[in-house]
């Protein structure tokens, strides 16, 4: 891809924008760009320099991303709203053409990498809560203040705020010291995957999840205990930010019908019933589940006589119950998947396994914790988009503010104190 129209080859020490930015090392790359750690000589700080491929369609995409990032930056002067900050942008001429460059605040590893670091075991509830608070803060800002839909929310597009000084260890591949040794293959994570690798990775993960889910269709007795040892994330600050605005749109000016990465795609997108902010809430729900369990919530796969979409709808109904008929038959694509009764055409037998049971039976969450989390998450995964809570409403939910569990543990404490007294007495 380092040819005309493609990536710009960078050497360490290369100057950009008239010498203001000096390239330090590669942070990662995507389908559209390479991303470099750069030193900003004007502010004497480190930044992430995203250098877009030069061909027309990539330049167009970069302009699109810049439009949305600029809008987000303009409305958040204090930079407190959990969205990656665009610092600057400019054009850079190279042998492969003109490259649009975005200068972004320097962030750390993605949540995908965090999940992998944690060996797909899921994070402690309090860590999930911290992450959810950031993501919801970002979404609330985008939705309510800007009228923007992110439309590609997923663990890969949420980056932890880096706590290290990149100058101290400029050759390390990982960004945050905590995650310096990724699990398994060296291509690992956050910064270091081509789209191909990401796709492969997603497919591999999807395969694992599918294996587990078909297990679930066969038998309701799940939950092989994990023999893997625990990795501590204690004391690690879980602040994070939403990134990747390459697919963002305005609620009142949408560009694409098919949005979102497959596993995080909302039912109304599959059925083509029209969409709004609540598609991000669906993806948020899928992401929160994944943080808690380490598994993707839905990993659909085409099967014998049915396609990926229909499997996806089946998986949703196995978890959430039957889709209300009106919604099932209400989309432009409904006839492809549903009969007029609102039953799937090709997948007839569904095994219902509701969220709270799944969390306890398969993922071994304590009953109370599972119940509280399911109470928080279930409304987010409503089939009817307008019934899903907004990001703002989620932020006010008792689970988010740990009211339920503090009350419970306070009550537990009183009880156990009473018990202790009785025993002592
Ligand atoms: P995609 O194919 O995912 O759309 P892209 O070309 O638009 O890719 P990004 O996803 O924005 O590029 O960035 C590629 C990688 O660079 C990310 O996976 C991430 O690891 C790293 N990266 C991006 N932005 C930052 C940042 N602000 N700080 C640190 N690393 C970053
Ligand atoms: Mg990306
Ligand atoms: Mg992108």
């Amino acid at each position: 891809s380092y040819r005309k129209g493609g990536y710009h080859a960078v050497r360490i020490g290369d100057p950009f924008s008239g010498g203001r930015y000096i390239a330090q090392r590669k942070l990662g790359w995507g389908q559209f760009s390479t991303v470099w750690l750069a030193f900003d000589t004007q502010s004497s700080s480190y930044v992430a320099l995203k250098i877009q491929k030069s061909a027309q369609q990539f330049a167009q995409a970069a302009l699109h991303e810049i439009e949305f990032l600029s809008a987000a930056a303009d409305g958040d002067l204090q930079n407190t709203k959990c969205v990656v900050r665009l610092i600057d942008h400019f054009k850079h001429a190279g042998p492969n053409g003109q490259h649009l460059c975005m200068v972004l605040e320097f962030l750390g590893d993605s949540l995908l990498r965090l999940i992998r670091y944690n060996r797909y075991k899921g994070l402690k509830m309090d860590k999930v809560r911290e992450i959810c608070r950031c993501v919801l803060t970002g979404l609330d800002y985008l939705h309510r203040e800007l009228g923007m839909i992110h439309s590609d929310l997923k663990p890969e597009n949420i980056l932890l705020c880096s706590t290290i000084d990149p100058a101290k260890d400029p050759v390390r591949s990982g960004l945050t010291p905590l995650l310096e040794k990724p699990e398994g293959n060296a291509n690992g994570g956050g910064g270091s995957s081509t789209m191909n690798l990401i796709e492969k990775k997603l497919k591999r993960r999807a395969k694992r999840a599918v294996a587990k889910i078909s297990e679930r269709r066969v038998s309701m007795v799940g939950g092989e205990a994990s023999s893997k040892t625990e990795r501590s994330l204690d004391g690690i600050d879980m602040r994070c930010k939403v990134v990747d605005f390459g697919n963002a749109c305005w609620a009142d000016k949408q560009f694409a019908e098919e949005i979102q990465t497959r596993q995080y795609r909302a039912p109304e997108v599959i059925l083509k019933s029209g969409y709004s902010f609540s598609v991000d809430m669906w993806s948020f729900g899928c992401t929160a589940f994944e943080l808690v369990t380490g598994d993707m919530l839905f990993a659909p796969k085409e099967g014998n006589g049915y396609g990926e979409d229909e499997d996806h709808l089946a998986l949703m109904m196995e978890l959430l119950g039957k889709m209300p008929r009106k919604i099932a038959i209400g989309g432009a694509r409904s006839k492809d998947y549903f009969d007029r009764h609102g039953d799937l055409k090709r997948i007839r037998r569904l095994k219902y396994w509701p969220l709270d049971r799944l969390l306890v039976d398969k993922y071994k969450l304590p009953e109370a914790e599972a119940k509280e989390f399911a109470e928080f998450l279930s409304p987010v995964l409503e089939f009817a988009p307008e019934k899903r809570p907004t990001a703002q409403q989620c932020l006010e939910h008792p689970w988010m503010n740990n009211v339920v569990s503090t009350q419970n543990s306070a009550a537990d404490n009183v009880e156990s104190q009473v018990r202790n007294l009785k025993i002592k007495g």
Side-chain angles (χ1 to χ4, degrees):
S1 290
Y2 286 93
R3 51 183 147 78
K4 279 243 171 327
Y7 295 124
H8 174 66
V10 176
R11 269 159 312 178
I12 291 169
D14 279 357
F16 288 83
S17 189
R20 175 170 171 183
Y21 306 102
I22 310 294
Q24 305 289 314
R25 66 181 161 92
K26 203 189 241 179
L27 290 171
W29 62 88
Q31 210 180 0
F32 292 68
S33 65
T34 54
V35 179
W36 283 75
L37 176 71
F39 187 70
D40 179 356
T41 56
Q42 195 170 309
S43 65
S44 294
S45 62
Y46 285 90
V47 294
L49 177 61
K50 178 167 172 168
I51 309 168
Q52 199 83 344
K53 287 178 178 174
S54 61
Q56 163 68 28
Q57 73 269 28
F58 300 115
Q60 200 57 47
L63 287 174
H64 176 91
E65 193 163 358
I66 290 166
E67 176 191 342
F68 287 86
L69 285 168
S70 302
D74 289 348
D76 177 21
L77 297 177
Q78 311 294 324
N79 195 13
T80 57
K81 302 204 171 152
C82 303
V83 169
V84 67
R85 154 105 358 172
L86 180 71
I87 298 167
D88 187 14
H89 62 93
F90 56 86
K91 278 188 197 144
H92 184 85
N96 297 331
Q98 284 260 3
H99 303 265
L100 271 163
C101 299
M102 289 165 245
V103 181
L104 302 158
E105 76 178 295
F106 168 63
L107 297 169
D109 292 292
S110 74
L111 295 189
L112 178 61
R113 190 146 180 220
L114 180 71
I115 291 167
R116 186 176 328 123
Y117 170 85
N118 206 37
R119 301 189 163 123
Y120 301 105
K121 272 182 358 59
L123 310 180
K124 294 226 173 78
M125 227 19 131
D126 285 335
K127 298 289 174 197
V128 176
R129 221 186 304 273
E130 286 175 36
I131 292 171
C132 285
R133 181 165 294 116
C134 292
V135 176
L136 288 168
T137 302
L139 289 181
D140 179 42
Y141 170 57
L142 298 178
H143 293 172
R144 210 159 43 87
E145 293 189 46
L146 303 178
M148 189 189 292
I149 307 174
H150 182 282
S151 67
D152 196 18
L153 194 76
K154 55 178 173 176
E156 198 187 301
N157 284 340
I158 302 165
L159 303 189
L160 293 169
C161 295
S162 179
T163 49
I164 63 154
D165 178 355
K168 298 233 169 82
D169 198 352
V171 288
R172 186 155 54 196
S173 63
L175 301 183
T176 47
L178 156 73
L179 306 181
E180 72 187 298
K181 283 183 201 141
E183 272 289 281
N185 81 45
N187 288 324
S192 35
S193 33
T194 59
M195 197 57 197
N196 251 342
L197 280 168
I198 292 170
E199 291 267 285
K200 266 191 208 151
K201 217 160 34 188
L202 279 173
K203 281 198 180 133
R204 238 182 292 135
R205 296 201 56 203
K207 254 192 200 159
R208 291 178 48 229
V210 164
K212 285 188 182 169
I213 283 161
S214 28
E215 237 168 66
R216 166 176 133 202
R217 275 200 187 139
V218 175
S219 112
M220 294 283 285
V221 201
E224 57 288 311
S226 168
S227 58
K228 294 163 190 163
T229 46
E230 204 157 308
R231 279 180 157 178
S232 170
L233 298 171
D234 290 351
I236 304 295
D237 186 353
M238 287 290 153
R239 279 184 315 116
C240 56
K241 293 196 167 196
V242 177
V243 304
D244 202 344
F245 285 71
N247 302 292
C249 71
W250 303 109
D252 56 11
K253 191 176 163 219
Q254 301 180 354
F255 309 99
E257 258 194 313
E258 177 146 303
I259 53 164
Q260 306 182 298
T261 299
R262 160 60 69 187
Q263 292 84 356
Y264 306 87
R265 190 172 293 157
E268 63 269 29
V269 176
I270 299 175
L271 295 174
K272 301 222 189 310
S273 320
Y275 62 84
S276 188
F277 302 116
S278 45
V279 290
D280 284 343
M281 296 313 294
W282 182 276
S283 305
F284 163 75
C286 297
T287 301
F289 177 91
E290 197 168 331
L291 291 171
V292 168
T293 66
D295 275 347
M296 283 177 177
L297 179 56
F298 303 117
K301 201 183 138 205
E302 68 173 50
N304 220 342
Y306 57 87
E308 210 177 6
D309 280 332
E310 193 161 334
D311 189 49
H312 201 167
L313 296 165
L315 292 172
M316 290 174 181
M317 292 195 282
E318 288 187 316
L319 183 77
L320 308 167
K322 204 177 164 199
M323 193 180 293
R325 179 175 168 276
K326 246 178 119 172
I327 296 174
I329 64 167
R333 299 286 305 278
S334 287
K335 286 212 167 65
D336 296 348
Y337 314 117
F338 288 103
D339 64 19
R340 65 200 165 83
H341 307 292
D343 292 312
L344 286 174
K345 285 183 164 170
R346 297 168 201 83
I347 305 177
R348 308 298 298 195
R349 259 182 308 176
L350 302 179
K351 286 248 167 75
Y352 182 48
W353 198 356
L355 186 57
D356 53 348
R357 296 319 310 163
L358 183 68
L359 290 170
V360 172
D361 298 341
K362 182 168 170 185
Y363 295 105
K364 308 300 177 204
L365 257 65
E367 288 272 353
E369 201 174 79
K371 184 166 166 283
E372 290 159 14
F373 181 57
E375 271 167 15
F376 170 71
L377 202 59
S378 296
V380 174
L381 299 170
E382 266 285 343
F383 283 124
E386 70 280 1
K387 282 196 191 155
R388 284 172 218 151
T390 62
Q392 186 182 30
Q393 286 166 336
C394 282
L395 281 167
E396 286 159 8
H397 192 280
W399 180 83
M400 211 48 257
N401 301 293
N402 206 2
V403 173
V404 203
S405 56
T406 357
Q407 271 174 358
N408 279 357
S409 54
D412 286 351
N413 275 339
V414 171
E415 252 176 52
S416 66
Q417 278 169 21
V418 170
R419 234 176 302 141
N420 283 340
L421 285 174
K422 277 185 188 157
I423 292 164
K424 277 184 198 154

